């Protein structure tokens, strides 16, 4: 699947993330900033892919082909275009 994504020119980036307990949570509230240990999350993000596709329909088509074993949920979200 990864090779298909690269060969099609769809995959821009992707990484597996360490468990959330290995990270930190930064809370921003006005001028106050706090850094705390991130709690373990039962529904944490395990990794990401960044794809360049024409639209959400194409992203959904690629996601349906994902060979990861289930049960698993993939969340498809567009990247904010600053333009």
């Amino acid at each position: 699947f990864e090779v298909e994504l690269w060969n099609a020119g769809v995959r821009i980036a992707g990484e597996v993330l360490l468990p959330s307990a290995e990270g930190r949570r930064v809370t921003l509230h006005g001028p106050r900033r706090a850094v705390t240990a991130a709690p373990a999350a039962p529904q944490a993000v395990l990794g990401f892919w960044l794809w360049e596709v024409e639209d959400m329909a194409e992203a959904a088509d690629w996601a349906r082909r994902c060979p990861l074993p289930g049960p698993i949920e993939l969340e498809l979200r567009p990247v904010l275009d600053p333009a």
Side-chain angles (χ1 to χ4, degrees):
F1 185 67
E2 292 287 325
V3 172
E4 285 182 79
L5 291 169
W6 279 115
N7 290 342
V10 171
R11 186 176 189 263
I12 297 171
E15 299 293 337
V16 174
L17 300 173
L18 291 174
S20 59
E22 299 288 326
R24 298 293 176 267
R25 178 173 287 167
V26 179
T27 304
L28 310 175
H29 189 259
R32 290 182 291 168
R33 306 294 191 249
V35 179
T36 57
Q43 293 185 336
V45 174
L46 301 177
F48 72 92
W49 284 309
L50 182 59
W51 296 344
E52 185 172 354
V53 294
E54 291 295 319
D55 53 28
M56 192 60 75
E58 183 183 355
D61 288 342
W62 279 103
R64 283 187 196 96
R65 296 166 61 183
C66 180
L68 294 173
I72 192 167
E73 289 184 4
L74 301 178
E75 183 175 338
L76 305 177
R77 295 173 57 186
V79 173
L80 178 63
D81 184 357

